[in-house]
Amino acid sequence: MPDQSQLNLGHLGQTRSAHQRNHFLLTADTFVRTALPGMQKCAAIVHAGPAMGAAFTQYTAEFEVGGTLGSTASQRFVYLLEGELKVKLDAKRADLDPRGFAFIPQGLRHRVTATTASRAVVIEKPYQALASVRPPKPILSNEDAVSSHALNDDPDLQVKCLLPDNFSFDFAVNTMVYQPGAALSQVEMHVMEHGLLMLAGGGIYRLGDSWYPVTAGDFIWMARWCPQWFAAIGKVPAKYLIYKDWNRHPLIGMETSAAK
Ligand code: UGY
Ligand code: MN
């Protein structure tokens, strides 16, 4: 008997992936690779972008040895899943190991090159400047160097905020680790949108009015105010990397009729 849990019925038109008005679940069996301008020896699996209504772009970059990303007109955040990347920012250089990350402010010349076959999360977002606030500085670090805190006093749900929480930054990227059985303490509905990559373990994600089994490798996009809740199931902790827009007034970027 084949192991039913491993059975991929994609060739018969079946998948867990879902495309709804206020959320997408994209599972690895439906990923399609593409090239983005300037990329060399590198492919992108684009998970989220303006065409779906998102105000950011998120993709997984798959590098061959020597592969590079193209340039971007936006801010860029890179989180290394596996392999090794060299990041050159103006005069600074750093090697990223797995769980290493780079924040590159908008307009800063940089180069990201793989020294071995590598996979990385790449998030890009146009910067929303504030008149009274200095723009953010570049960051090269590793998740292992960031301290975690319990969400809503639940020690079984630990959050690491990879970027500083101040108004120079207009987005956040966090990791969240749930011990088996841990869950969000509420159904969240909020003004921020999310891009989420499951990194380990699994569980049940409520998105809108649907409950999905999810596992490592799945990507989820949640639109603003999409009802969301997660519980970890299984014998190992569940972990995800989650993007949200942050620290900006909801009217920023909107043209009001009074201003026309
Ligand atoms: O930061 C968040 O909004 C986070 N708690 N949301 C989520 O995990 N779906
Ligand atoms: Mn949320």
Side-chain angles (χ1 to χ4, degrees), residues 188 190 194 228:
E188 295 180 5
H190 51 59
H194 283 311
Q228 57 197 257

Side-chain angles (χ1 to χ4, degrees), residues 176 178 184 188 190 192 194 205 222 228 240 242 244:
M176 298 181 61
Y178 296 70
L184 284 176
E188 295 180 5
H190 51 59
M192 304 84 75
H194 283 311
Y205 231 107
M222 295 171 233
Q228 57 197 257
Y240 54 74
I242 186 165
K244 60 182 167 188

Side-chain angles (χ1 to χ4, degrees), residues 151-174:
L151 187 67
N152 297 332
D153 296 325
D154 179 354
D156 290 337
L157 204 182
Q158 292 289 325
V159 181
K160 285 189 181 189
C161 300
L162 303 186
L163 294 177
D165 185 8
N166 66 57
F167 282 90
S168 290
F169 292 84
D170 67 355
F171 70 90
V173 182
N174 304 337

Side-chain angles (χ1 to χ4, degrees), residues 21-137:
R21 181 188 59 80
N22 60 1
H23 65 272
F24 282 22
L25 168 63
L26 302 174
T27 62
D29 55 300
T30 55
F31 291 171
V32 174
R33 275 115 189 124
T34 184
L36 298 180
M39 270 188 165
Q40 285 171 5
K41 295 167 86 178
C42 190
I45 303 160
V46 180
H47 303 301
M52 77 192 344
F56 68 103
T57 287
Q58 180 164 345
Y59 52 94
T60 299
E62 295 180 333
F63 300 82
E64 297 170 36
V65 183
T68 57
L69 294 179
S71 60
T72 176
S74 301
Q75 311 170 86
R76 177 177 268 169
F77 179 92
V78 178
Y79 175 92
L80 185 60
L81 298 167
E82 60 183 62
E84 191 180 61
L85 293 181
K86 229 177 231 331
V87 181
K88 227 177 110 184
L89 295 167
D90 281 343
K92 276 195 222 157
R93 280 159 192 269
D95 291 330
L96 295 189
D97 293 320
R99 297 181 300 288
F101 62 91
F103 168 77
I104 301 141
Q106 188 159 298
L108 188 66
R109 275 170 60 100
H110 65 282
R111 194 168 171 81
V112 177
T113 311
T115 41
T116 65
S118 303
R119 288 191 318 120
V121 174
V122 184
I123 295 167
E124 293 163 357
K125 175 186 185 297
Y127 185 55
Q128 296 184 329
L130 292 179
S132 53
V133 175
R134 283 173 194 276
K137 298 245 180 331

